[in-house]
Amino acid sequence: MSGRFLSLEGGEGAGKSTQVRALASALEARGLSVLVTREPGGSEGAEAIRALLMQGDVARWSAHAETLLFAAARADHVEKVIRPALEAGTWVITDRFIDSTRAYQGVAGGIDDAAILALHGFGARGLLPDRTFVLDVPVAEGARRAAMRDGEMADRFAMRGEHFHADVARAFRSFASREPGRFRIVDASRATGDVTAMLLAELSDLLP
Ligand code: TMP
């Protein structure tokens, strides 16, 4: 039996990592085997690429080079970690996946969506999540939460301006409206426990 593949997406400070952990605990409590992972990263090779992507100047990589690095990291992550887990019957929850590339490098960064999906087809054999949650918080609230968390340690993406982050938030909402079978939008400005409950409710059709 194959496990299910879930991704959590959203802008900075949406509470994705908290919810990934909370959702994993809730699924484990139902007797499921769960693997939590993240992007960029999640495998040894992809974590090495993560360091290249996250550190340094905002302009370190061109939009094209950055897109290729994300695709390469994802190819390794899928092949070495995600597919083997799913094949073993484990549920996989990832903090970000392909839709982050479509939102950040694509809509906000100007790279064509079809090109991003073609790279994903080649690198990761087009693997898509069974369900993708968009954790939606107002951009200003997300920026405030991320600043509290990161202090002076903002990475190459958090450093970008308000317009960039507003484009990212709009992009996630538009993917969700175009693909309602895979996506669910969740109001992440609610209390942590309420958000987890909403995620679980939106998984009821996939749960055994
Ligand atoms: P995070 O670990 O705080 O989520 O940071 C990852 C950053 O990388 C975040 O700002 C979003 C960005 N990112 C992309 O631009 N494209 C991608 O494909 C992924 C996975 C992340």
Side-chain angles (χ1 to χ4, degrees), residues 12 39-40 50 54 70 74 96 100-101 104-105 157:
E12 317 298 306
E39 290 207 343
R50 179 186 176 95
M54 304 298 284
F70 277 112
R74 187 162 299 124
R96 299 192 181 281
S100 277
T101 304
Y104 283 78
Q105 283 66 50
F157 299 94

Side-chain angles (χ1 to χ4, degrees), residues 7-61:
S7 62
L8 270 67
E9 299 279 9
E12 317 298 306
K16 288 183 304 304
S17 32
T18 304
Q19 290 303 330
V20 164
R21 285 193 301 271
L23 184 59
S25 302
L27 295 178
E28 276 163 354
R30 283 168 167 70
L32 297 168
S33 153
V34 181
L35 176 83
V36 162
T37 187
R38 68 159 182 189
E39 290 207 343
S43 62
E44 194 184 332
E47 289 290 334
I49 297 174
R50 179 186 176 95
L52 297 174
L53 279 162
M54 304 298 284
Q55 294 160 13
D57 194 71
V58 173
R60 180 179 189 183
W61 304 107

Side-chain angles (χ1 to χ4, degrees), residues 13-200:
K16 288 183 304 304
S17 32
T18 304
Q19 290 303 330
V20 164
R21 285 193 301 271
L23 184 59
S25 302
L27 295 178
E28 276 163 354
R30 283 168 167 70
L32 297 168
S33 153
V34 181
L35 176 83
V36 162
T37 187
R38 68 159 182 189
E39 290 207 343
S43 62
E44 194 184 332
E47 289 290 334
I49 297 174
R50 179 186 176 95
L52 297 174
L53 279 162
M54 304 298 284
Q55 294 160 13
D57 194 71
V58 173
R60 180 179 189 183
W61 304 107
S62 70
H64 288 83
E66 195 171 275
T67 303
L68 289 165
L69 286 169
F70 277 112
R74 187 162 299 124
D76 193 69
H77 185 206
V78 167
E79 186 185 325
K80 304 265 178 59
V81 173
I82 297 176
R83 271 194 209 280
L86 293 173
E87 282 162 12
T90 297
W91 283 49
V92 176
I93 310 177
T94 184
D95 183 339
R96 299 192 181 281
F97 196 63
I98 180 66
D99 302 298
S100 277
T101 304
R102 299 175 66 211
Y104 283 78
Q105 283 66 50
V107 175
I111 300 290
D112 180 41
D113 193 49
I116 293 171
L117 291 172
L119 285 174
H120 188 58
F122 176 73
R125 286 182 285 146
L127 179 70
L128 289 177
D130 295 297
R131 181 120 316 137
T132 296
F133 293 106
V134 173
L135 270 54
D136 199 40
V137 284
V139 172
E141 169 64 13
R144 194 187 60 78
R145 291 192 201 172
M148 272 176 48
R149 180 193 62 199
D150 300 337
E152 298 298 303
M153 298 294 289
D155 60 50
R156 287 184 56 247
F157 299 94
M159 282 176 206
R160 294 179 200 201
E162 199 182 311
H163 288 299
F164 182 89
H165 292 289
D167 285 346
V168 166
R170 257 195 307 277
F172 283 127
R173 277 183 226 123
S174 98
F175 302 155
S177 69
R178 273 184 273 152
E179 225 187 303
R182 175 161 71 94
F183 283 90
R184 298 288 185 275
I185 300 184
V186 171
D187 176 2
S189 55
R190 310 261 301 265
T192 306
D194 294 348
V195 176
T196 311
M198 288 191 282
L199 298 178
L200 277 172

